Amino acid sequence: MINPKIEETWKNVLYEEFNSPYFEQLKQFLIDEKRHYVVFPPGGLIFNAFNLTPFNEVNVVIIGQDPYPNEGQAEGLCFSVPDGIELPRSLVNIYQEIADDLHITPPRSGSLARWAKQGVLLLNATLTVRAHAIGSHQNKGWERFTDRAISELSRQRDHVVFLLWGNYAKQKATLIDSTKHAILTAAHPSPLSAAKGFFGCRHFSKTNEILHQWGKKEIVW
């Protein structure tokens, strides 16, 4: 039996996944990877998104694809980097949209832990990556695990806002019951696509409007 260090409400929700054969294979893959390569994020941060945002406190979900692959960047939260690390360009664009949408100046820190603690689940579809090798841990089992997390949020919870940026994230809409949740889609905030529909999406004000309508606390972006 695998007994991961993950927040208790999530451990209960995802119990079957941790005890599935594929997850044992994923664990062995990671052990082998770490023998030969550097893997990000550090082990204690792999489940950081879950640990900072318990299952019953999730009100917003943002879905990314991979952790950042360079030294010091990945902290287990999609689009987020620790304090003191230069902001990746996707995050620069996210902050630009926040500034334009809400007419505020975002903080200099690239850590989005402050969002996570307000109920924003910052979930990468793949939770680990080999250093400097984007996509290296895709199709090893993580996607099945994180899809289950999304599905259980959709099934067990009510009134969650899902922000799906880019074609990859938009595919996750099939896991979400749109009759009781809100799904907002836009282009990915990367420099390659931000001007094609991310800038001007106003997802941050729209999310707060929806949360307000549902009687929930708005996010301080």
Side-chain angles (χ1 to χ4, degrees), residues 17 21 23 60 74 83 97 111 123 152 184 215:
E17 304 306 300
F23 203 87
V60 180
D83 287 337
E97 177 60 21
S111 178
L123 184 64
E152 289 304 314
L184 303 181

Coordinates of all heavy atoms in Angstrom, one line a residue, residues 17 21 23 60 74 83 97 111 123 152 184 215:
E17 N -6.8 5.6 -6.2 CA -5.7 5.8 -7.1 C -4.4 5.4 -6.5 O -3.5 4.7 -7.2 CB -5.7 7.3 -7.6 CG -6.9 7.8 -8.1 CD -7.4 7.0 -9.3 OE1 -6.7 6.9 -10.3 OE2 -8.6 6.4 -9.2
P21 N -2.6 -0.4 -9.5 CA -1.3 -0.9 -10.1 C -0.6 0.2 -10.9 O 0.6 0.3 -10.8 CB -1.8 -2.0 -11.0 CG -3.0 -2.5 -10.4 CD -3.7 -1.3 -9.9
F23 N -0.4 3.3 -10.3 CA 0.3 4.3 -9.4 C 1.6 3.6 -8.8 O 2.6 4.3 -8.6 CB -0.6 4.7 -8.3 CG -0.2 6.1 -7.7 CD1 -0.6 7.2 -8.2 CD2 0.7 6.1 -6.6 CE1 -0.2 8.5 -7.7 CE2 1.1 7.3 -6.1 CZ 0.6 8.5 -6.7
V60 N -12.0 27.3 -7.0 CA -11.5 27.7 -8.4 C -10.4 26.6 -8.7 O -9.6 26.2 -7.9 CB -10.9 29.1 -8.5 CG1 -10.4 29.4 -9.9 CG2 -11.9 30.1 -8.0
A74 N 10.1 25.1 -10.2 CA 8.9 24.3 -9.8 C 8.6 24.3 -8.3 O 9.5 23.9 -7.6 CB 9.0 22.9 -10.4
D83 N 9.3 32.6 -4.4 CA 9.8 34.0 -4.2 C 11.3 34.1 -4.7 O 12.1 33.2 -4.4 CB 9.8 34.4 -2.7 CG 8.3 34.6 -2.3 OD1 7.5 35.0 -3.1 OD2 8.1 34.5 -1.1
E97 N -2.7 40.4 -17.6 CA -4.1 40.4 -17.7 C -4.8 40.8 -16.4 O -5.9 41.4 -16.4 CB -4.5 38.9 -18.1 CG -6.0 38.7 -18.2 CD -6.7 39.6 -19.3 OE1 -6.1 40.2 -20.2 OE2 -7.9 39.8 -19.1
S111 N 5.3 33.6 -6.7 CA 4.6 32.5 -6.0 C 3.1 32.7 -5.9 O 2.7 33.8 -5.4 CB 5.2 32.3 -4.5 OG 4.5 31.3 -3.9
L123 N -3.4 23.2 -10.5 CA -3.1 21.8 -10.7 C -2.5 21.5 -12.1 O -3.1 21.8 -13.1 CB -4.4 21.0 -10.7 CG -4.4 19.5 -10.9 CD1 -3.6 18.8 -9.7 CD2 -5.7 18.9 -11.0
E152 N -13.5 14.0 -9.4 CA -14.1 14.0 -8.1 C -14.6 15.3 -7.6 O -15.6 15.5 -6.9 CB -13.1 13.3 -7.1 CG -12.9 11.8 -7.3 CD -14.2 11.0 -7.3 OE1 -15.0 11.3 -6.4 OE2 -14.4 10.2 -8.2
L184 N -14.7 28.4 -17.7 CA -14.2 29.5 -18.5 C -13.0 29.1 -19.3 O -12.0 28.6 -18.8 CB -13.8 30.7 -17.6 CG -14.9 31.3 -16.7 CD1 -14.4 32.5 -15.9 CD2 -16.2 31.7 -17.5
G215 N -22.5 33.3 -3.6 CA -22.4 33.6 -2.2 C -21.0 33.2 -1.6 O -20.9 32.9 -0.4

